[in-house]
Amino acid sequence: MSLSKEDYPISVLYNFELGDFSPKEKTIARRVSYLSKMFHDRTAAESLIKQGDPVVYETSYYGFKTSLSDMALGVTRIQPGKVGDEYFMTKGHFHEAKNQPEIYFCVKGEGYLLLETIDGEFQAEKWTEGTISHIPPMWAHRTINTGMGLMVFVASYHLSAGYSYEAVEKNGFKKLLVERNEKPELILNDKRKR
Ligand code: F6R
Ligand code: ZN
């Protein structure tokens, strides 16, 4: 087989101090305004937006596309913080393709991975530094930082998996992670109390 330029092995370097890697293709920052409808306390979200709209998380990507494959790397850094009593988190999504799993590896901090199917099966995985989670196909996934510092995780997936955000935008996840008595607690999402 004759190899094209993109078919050769490639490595990137992860920096444990910064929670970031290089080289990368792009970084996308998500602020409270991007997520405001995801948090249950809209008033707290609006007031944070007025106070400067802080970054909640940033994801850096590298797509290792070859002539035969499309493995991708994503590193997400979630800042510590809360909107009202709800911890900073990613928006969360399903993958468009119905046969696509994903691996998440928590490399810094602590928090939770929330998972949910379209039929309402729900699971929460508690994360500490070193937890590696397998996300099976057709489970929506959202990560949450409950610690005092940065939480960083590495994701590995296929570019052809695609993204689907509509269901999460409309209904959120079955449970929210809020602070109660200085501890994280899962409570039922109001949107689902029917
Ligand atoms: C890729 C993946 C992660 C997330 C990232 C941001 O399939 O799951 O790289 O894309 O953590 O989260 P979302 O996409 O939900 O804003
Ligand atoms: Zn994903």
Side-chain angles (χ1 to χ4, degrees):
M1 171 180 123
S2 75
L3 297 176
S4 308
K5 191 167 167 258
E6 73 263 24
D7 292 327
Y8 283 86
I10 181 169
S11 301
V12 298
L13 188 62
Y14 177 76
N15 181 318
F16 283 89
E17 284 299 307
L18 302 175
D20 202 5
F21 71 95
S22 164
K24 58 194 169 195
E25 276 170 18
K26 60 175 176 183
T27 301
I28 294 176
R30 300 301 193 193
R31 295 177 181 274
V32 174
S33 51
Y34 171 78
L35 298 158
S36 61
K37 292 195 179 69
M38 299 288 109
F39 291 105
H40 76 141
D41 187 342
R42 300 280 169 82
T43 315
E46 286 310 317
S47 111
L48 268 180
I49 294 166
K50 283 197 191 108
Q51 285 166 44
D53 197 10
V55 169
V56 176
Y57 62 96
E58 295 156 286
T59 306
S60 298
Y61 299 94
Y62 202 112
F64 299 109
K65 214 165 175 350
T66 75
S67 49
L68 292 173
S69 63
D70 66 347
M71 187 65 103
L73 171 71
V75 172
T76 300
R77 300 151 41 94
I78 310 182
Q79 296 296 326
K82 290 194 296 283
V83 173
D85 59 3
E86 197 174 358
Y87 296 96
F88 276 11
M89 62 189 184
T90 60
K91 187 172 205 173
H93 58 268
F94 283 94
H95 288 282
E96 263 172 353
K98 306 222 175 307
N99 62 348
Q100 287 296 318
E102 182 161 5
I103 296 281
Y104 273 5
F105 181 1
C106 176
V107 287
K108 197 185 193 71
E110 60 189 271
Y112 279 82
L113 166 64
L114 303 189
L115 301 131
E116 188 174 348
T117 69
I118 206 77
D119 299 323
E121 266 307 317
F122 177 86
Q123 198 165 315
E125 296 291 299
K126 189 165 169 27
W127 272 13
T128 53
E129 205 170 284
T131 308
I132 303 173
S133 299
H134 174 241
I135 301 163
M138 300 180 73
W139 283 78
H141 36 290
R142 163 182 284 168
T143 44
I144 305 174
N145 182 358
T146 57
M148 305 290 281
L150 204 62
M151 185 177 96
V152 186
F153 66 94
V154 177
S156 182
Y157 57 100
H158 290 115
L159 293 170
S160 57
Y163 290 93
S164 173
Y165 288 93
E166 292 78 16
V168 170
E169 273 165 359
K170 191 159 168 254
N171 302 317
F173 278 66
K174 197 169 194 168
K175 292 188 181 171
L176 311 174
L177 196 60
V178 296
E179 189 180 72
R180 293 281 184 272
N181 303 317
E182 293 172 27
K183 284 202 189 100
E185 193 176 306
L186 282 165
I187 60 164
L188 206 56
N189 182 354
D190 282 340
K191 284 184 181 170
R192 304 292 189 84
K193 282 183 191 163
R194 286 180 221 135

